[in-house]
Amino acid sequence: MRQYAALLVLGVGALLLAPWAPGAPDVPGDPTPPVVTPVIVGTLGSNGWYTSNVTVNWKVEDPESLILSSTGCGATTLTTDTAGTKLTCTATSDGVRRP
């Protein structure tokens, strides 16, 4: 009797882990990280310097899966000369984390 119970438990476990089981992801793990791109809005002057306030927004995309989390990706407005200011957006999807 114990052998049959063990086989039944293993069989049910295999069904739950099967890729076609209800609730399982349709696509296997995402092999690529999200793409994080800064979007800069302002009046561009010469030599890459802006002559107005600058707002930095972030575009975070992953064509293969949903974005699971992001940090530092909110809009930031710079109102003074900010040479050397570093802004960072980090996002995570089913793929690898991408700064």
Side-chain angles (χ1 to χ4, degrees), residues 7-82:
L7 288 176
L8 178 61
V9 170
L10 289 174
V12 171
L15 286 174
L16 292 175
L17 296 176
W20 40 265
D26 292 334
V27 178
D30 180 354
T32 60
V35 176
V36 177
T37 308
V39 179
I40 302 170
V41 178
T43 304
L44 185 59
S46 59
N47 299 321
W49 287 93
Y50 287 83
T51 59
S52 67
N53 292 343
V54 174
T55 299
V56 179
N57 295 291
W58 299 93
K59 184 176 177 182
V60 179
E61 300 177 297
D62 189 332
E64 297 167 337
S65 64
L66 295 174
I67 302 299
L68 300 176
S69 66
S70 63
T71 303
C73 302
T76 302
T77 300
L78 305 171
T79 59
T80 60
D81 189 4
T82 56

